[in-house]
Amino acid sequence: MNPIELSDEILLHILSYVPSTDLILNVKRTCHKLAGLCLDKSLIQKVILHKEYQASDNQVKQLLREAGKEIRELDMSGCYWLSSSTVDLIAQCKRLVRLDLSGCPLTSLRLSKLLTDLHQLCSLSIDIGAGFDSGQLTTECKATLRHVRELKQTLFAPSYGVVPCCINLEKLLLYFEVLDRTREGTVMSGQLMVGESKIPHYQNLRLFYARLAPGYINEEVVRLYLTVLTDRTPENLRAFLISVPGSLAESSASKNLLDSMAKNVSLEAFQLPKSWLSGSSLLQNLKFSSPFYLSFSRSMISGGQLTQWVINGHMDCRSLVSLNLRGCPFSLNSDLPFRKTVEDIDCNILETLVTACPNLAHLNLSYAHHHSSESATRHLCDILAQLKHLRSLSLPVCAIVNTSNTTDKSLIQCPGQSTPRTATLGFGKKVRIGVQTNSMTLPDQNSSFWKLLKENPFIVNLELIGSNFYSAMPRNDPAIRNAYPPCALSHSVGDAQIANISQLEFLQNLTLAQLPGIHTGSALVSIGMKCQQLRSLTLANLGKKGMVLYIASLCEMLNHCRHLKDLRLEQPYFSANGQFFQALSHCSSLQRLCIVSHNGKFQPDAVISFISSCPSLVVCHMFTGETLKSCRNLQQCIKQSLCYKGNLRKPS
């Protein structure tokens, strides 16, 4: 059967998976029937160019010229390579309702020109950099901004941006990325830029979200935004979220804001800095109505306070979709101990939370020691298996340990004794580096972790992170120089337990960090073969410290990861050699590669060969123990190789 003979409805569904540039520039020209279907409103009303790194200036210009009049939603976030003349053509899309230009360099004059005729615009996402001057915005531009109800601003300089012009804002999302120092070393000031005397308008605000990158300047600037909220808290505020790395000191203004919210606001989504959650009194005073997102990240809240808040507050948590208890060491204990020690969880606390929140889709319990005691009637994973709608799950490694199998404490400290399969290697028997002892490990179907994943087969995002793991290069967390040893129980999590993940056929994002019990890494082969939807993979500190024995299994895994786009490896003494890059070349969809390896090495010829054979690659970051001269020579060779092929893509 000729595919063209399919019904229009089926063809439209198929074409919806084709990138917008290919749709207009290629598919449209194949035949008369497809030419008409490619211009169907269901396909061109929403155009997403986010991470479409192959979209050139000429392609985007042609797309906007041919379909611009019908485009209602345009996402060009992260398209940093597009020229200003291409961005200017957005002004022709006069029916735009949503526009995302995050990551695209914009001056205040260019922004003013773009927004002048976009009278239907309701949602806007932009970056605010140094030199932005709201005084340069025209009257017509400000008229457009008055109708904007959703605004996302990424701030690279202390500024209110266009917030004062958006007098009818309902959703405000702020990302603070201001550096404490300029590239020249000058100390930045937290004061707003000249000409910003106007204050934001929050009277119609329903959602306020702020995410801060590390740095005291960001803390100063966010306080300026919060001060306005303190003066008059919006009555319709339903979501209030502040994400801060480390702690944000509570001020008198923030205390007044929380008091005002307790009196006048009923929340549906909630997140505060850990220093603001000093006790249960705040939770008892705040009002919640059908909450869907709650985050207590890094706070010292106890499980007793949580359950008391739910039960005594008579709150209906069936609407709760996301619960974040990341870095909350006592969230599954009845009370806060007098001193911080590793505690077994209270099963009744977890049972109460799971029963009260049966529709959870996103749960984060990472960065805390949650141990199921031998005397407990049920394992943590058995209780979580009652949740049937999980789509993303983050757990500490020690939480999946079946304590009944680790009664011999001497085995906990020995990675080679993590599972019955690895025990057959023999006590003290050495394994040759690079030799694969077994190609694939079968899952441990008797473990509680296997049962949890079986009851939630549609998990898309999964993280297993050691309780004491800290990245050597964190993105939104303060850097910590000290390396902490892994939890003792995590040594008993080996390849058989990790192989349980292979039953998640819809898994797209996987993180495995600080797993000292991993030996040959044969579980990775199982995951690579069966999790064919895998898009993002992060591996960090697998196996015994200072030893990398899973290279052969990792290479075999990569042979099956055809759809992998992001790979991050954080492993000391990792050797990025020809064998590794040869296997990586099978990942034909790979776009971003990051290797962080203290005392690691790379093979320059293998790197150049890999980059030449991977047309989709955009980012290649390697932080190793090689000399600065070696890194510069490699970068120069990569540039010359790309220029020779005529496809230079600004390598980073």
Side-chain angles (χ1 to χ4, degrees), residues 306 323-332 345 350 353-354 360 362-370 380-381 383-384 387 390 392-399 452 463 465-467:
L306 278 176
L323 178 61
N324 185 358
L325 296 173
R326 179 181 186 269
C328 301
F330 311 116
S331 58
L332 300 183
I345 67 167
L350 186 57
L353 291 176
V354 169
L360 277 178
H362 312 285
L363 178 63
N364 191 339
L365 296 174
S366 61
Y367 288 95
H369 294 274
H370 296 314
L380 177 143
C381 292
I383 300 175
L384 293 182
L387 301 171
L390 286 176
S392 64
L393 177 64
S394 184
L395 293 176
V397 176
C398 55
L452 167 61
E463 293 181 342
I465 303 176
S467 306

Side-chain angles (χ1 to χ4, degrees), residues 526-547:
S526 306
I527 296 172
M529 293 180 63
K530 297 184 179 180
C531 302
Q532 288 293 299
Q533 302 299 319
L534 198 62
R535 300 292 192 272
S536 176
L537 176 64
T538 298
L539 303 177
N541 294 6
L542 301 188
K544 196 173 182 179
K545 185 178 180 181
M547 301 178 65

Side-chain angles (χ1 to χ4, degrees), residues 503-524:
Q503 63 183 299
L504 299 177
E505 297 181 3
F506 300 95
L507 187 67
Q508 294 186 17
N509 306 295
L510 174 63
T511 296
L512 301 174
Q514 202 179 46
L515 286 149
I518 294 295
H519 193 54
T520 63
S522 55
L524 298 176

Side-chain angles (χ1 to χ4, degrees), residues 241-255:
L241 307 106
I242 302 179
S243 177
V244 182
S247 60
L248 178 66
E250 190 176 17
S251 62
S252 57
S254 61
K255 292 180 181 179

Side-chain angles (χ1 to χ4, degrees), residues 3-22:
I4 303 301
E5 297 176 2
L6 294 172
S7 67
D8 290 356
E9 183 181 2
I10 295 177
L11 285 174
L12 285 173
H13 181 74
I14 295 173
L15 292 174
S16 66
Y17 292 93
V18 180
S20 301
T21 50
D22 281 342

Side-chain angles (χ1 to χ4, degrees), residues 501-629:
I501 299 173
S502 62
Q503 63 183 299
L504 299 177
E505 297 181 3
F506 300 95
L507 187 67
Q508 294 186 17
N509 306 295
L510 174 63
T511 296
L512 301 174
Q514 202 179 46
L515 286 149
I518 294 295
H519 193 54
T520 63
S522 55
L524 298 176
V525 182
S526 306
I527 296 172
M529 293 180 63
K530 297 184 179 180
C531 302
Q532 288 293 299
Q533 302 299 319
L534 198 62
R535 300 292 192 272
S536 176
L537 176 64
T538 298
L539 303 177
N541 294 6
L542 301 188
K544 196 173 182 179
K545 185 178 180 181
M547 301 178 65
V548 187
L549 304 179
Y550 63 91
I551 294 295
S553 296
L554 174 61
C555 291
E556 187 174 347
M557 175 194 190
L558 293 175
N559 290 332
H560 305 284
C561 297
R562 306 293 182 183
H563 301 289
L564 190 68
K565 292 186 176 182
D566 296 86
L567 176 62
R568 178 185 174 94
L569 295 175
E570 187 169 332
Q571 187 79 40
Y573 302 97
F574 184 85
S575 178
N577 54 22
Q579 177 192 11
F580 168 73
F581 282 110
Q582 177 63 31
L584 197 59
S585 63
H586 290 88
C587 304
S588 54
S589 302
L590 193 69
Q591 295 180 346
R592 289 169 291 276
L593 170 66
C594 180
I595 298 177
V596 181
S597 180
H598 179 66
N599 291 329
K601 297 180 179 180
F602 60 75
Q603 189 175 327
D605 294 341
V607 177
I608 296 172
S609 176
F610 159 69
I611 292 179
S612 300
S613 64
C614 196
S616 300
L617 190 71
V618 176
V619 175
C620 181
H621 284 170
M622 293 190 294
F623 305 93
T624 65
E626 296 284 1
T627 63
L628 183 60
K629 181 179 179 180

Side-chain angles (χ1 to χ4, degrees), residues 269-285:
F270 168 81
Q271 179 177 357
L272 290 180
K274 64 177 184 180
S275 55
W276 295 15
L277 289 169
S278 55
S280 61
S281 58
L282 176 61
L283 285 179
Q284 300 299 331
N285 293 331

